[in-house]
Amino acid sequence: MPAVPGAQVGGVLGIRTLADTEALGPRLADARQVVVIGAGFIGLEFAAVAAARGLAVQVLELGPRAMARAVSPHTSAVFEAAHRAAGVQLHLAEGVAELLGDEHGQVRAVRTASGRLLPADLVVYGIGVLPNDELARTAGLAVDNGVRVDGQLRSSDAAISAVGDLASFHSPWASAQQPWVRLESVQNAVDQAKLVAARLAGQPLPDYDALPWFWTDQGVLKLQIAGLSDPQDETVVLGDTLGSATAPAFSVLCLRGGRLAAV
Ligand SMILES: Cc1cc2nc3c(=O)[nH]c(=O)nc-3n(C[C@H](O)[C@H](O)[C@H](O)COP(=O)(O)OP(=O)(O)OC[C@H]3O[C@@H](n4cnc5c(N)ncnc54)[C@H](O)[C@@H]3O)c2cc1C
């Protein structure tokens, strides 16, 4: 939930749990004007669905480009163009100042940091998550943006392992500047769980080094990523980024120290 005045008004929803989506379904059926907070994977996937249903969709993103944490500027630009072509209004480098409610306590507008008033009868936010590390902290484990684990995914207490969204690990795929990562993906959760299960079953695997991969489907566009890119990477674009906004087909090679780090 964004920590802004008015965040408690009705019709302001996240997308994280089954209960969230069950609450969102009926709201979506009645909504006409949607404001999405956050142009990451989740916010943009929702924006594409809402726009395809004919709703007026506006997206607010604090950063200067869409999905900036995960993709190159080329990829951001192509996805931004495709969303705009689908009718989504993207407001980049724009934050939320306040959510305004009507006399029934339901959201009616979003005031942006620059003072614009965006009408809304539904606000959906996808602004990232914080690790649920309370239990680990209480147990005295080393915690720093997740539970710190070694190559075998053991925490600072060797009897306790951490996997998935909660685990902060030293990744051979990360940059030297930021070698500790915490990944939120099905691939990572499954591969880490397999490693710990194998170790507990007495058949340990080598230290965790699985290649991270991610995907996102947004309207007509499908993005697939292998590896971990870094803003400092040199990028080489192969294919057609500038063709039709509805059917670009390209790859971005992210090179670090002369080696391929991500595609
Ligand atoms: C809307 C959405 C879309 C996504 N789309 C994709 C996608 O397209 N591709 C992809 O790769 N990934 C996607 N992800 C991410 C993916 O779902 C997660 O990376 C994955 O579920 C992580 O698995 P996990 O087991 O680590 O954590 P979770 O799936 O979050 O499971 C952790 C469980 O532990 C429970 N729990 C927490 N604290 C405690 C406690 N103290 N005691 C007991 N139980 C506790 C939680 O309630 C939860 O049920 C998406 C996530 C969301 C929210």
Side-chain angles (χ1 to χ4, degrees):
M1 178 81 71
V4 293
Q8 76 291 344
V9 295
V12 180
L13 304 172
I15 315 180
R16 203 173 57 80
T17 64
L18 180 60
D20 289 339
T21 55
E22 285 174 346
L24 188 55
R27 289 275 185 176
L28 195 54
D30 295 336
R32 295 288 171 270
Q33 296 172 305
V34 182
V35 170
V36 178
I37 302 174
F41 288 0
I42 288 173
L44 289 179
E45 287 181 16
F46 176 77
V49 169
R53 292 173 67 129
L55 307 186
V57 183
Q58 308 203 56
V59 179
L60 292 179
E61 166 56 47
L62 204 52
R65 60 186 176 88
M67 302 182 288
R69 274 200 308 155
V71 305
S72 69
H74 298 281
T75 306
S76 291
V78 170
F79 274 73
E80 288 162 12
H83 282 289
R84 287 184 166 126
V88 173
Q89 276 185 268
L90 277 177
H91 305 277
L92 302 174
E94 179 68 287
V96 181
E98 184 180 7
L99 302 173
L100 304 170
D102 62 16
E103 65 276 21
H104 305 295
Q106 297 299 308
V107 69
R108 66 175 172 83
V110 175
R111 191 188 308 282
T112 71
S114 69
R116 272 185 280 193
L117 206 59
L118 311 181
D121 48 19
L122 175 64
V123 173
V124 173
Y125 57 90
I127 52 175
V129 294
L130 294 173
N132 187 353
D133 60 11
E134 194 184 339
L135 184 62
R137 285 181 187 277
T138 307
L141 305 185
V143 172
D144 183 3
N145 182 32
V147 176
R148 280 279 165 118
V149 292
D150 65 14
Q152 284 294 314
L153 309 177
R154 283 178 296 236
S155 72
S156 54
D157 179 335
I160 302 175
S161 301
V163 300
D165 286 12
L166 186 63
S168 168
F169 63 101
H170 198 285
S171 171
W173 303 98
S175 68
Q177 291 75 34
Q178 295 199 320
W180 289 90
V181 296
R182 191 178 62 74
L183 300 180
E184 294 165 16
S185 77
V186 170
Q187 168 273 320
N188 184 63
V190 170
D191 284 342
Q192 290 194 332
K194 284 180 181 171
L195 185 143
V196 172
R199 173 162 55 75
L200 296 180
Q203 298 175 335
L205 297 169
D207 281 359
Y208 187 69
D209 67 350
L211 176 71
W213 52 268
F214 312 87
W215 74 92
T216 176
D217 294 336
Q218 298 175 22
V220 295
L221 296 184
K222 177 184 279 290
L223 172 65
Q224 295 176 304
I225 303 173
L228 293 177
S229 64
D230 182 270
Q232 308 302 325
D233 291 343
E234 181 191 344
T235 56
V236 177
V237 181
L238 305 178
D240 170 25
T241 50
L242 300 176
S244 159
T246 56
F250 66 98
S251 301
V252 179
L253 310 184
C254 299
L255 303 168
R256 200 174 306 146
R259 296 185 58 195
L260 186 62
V263 181

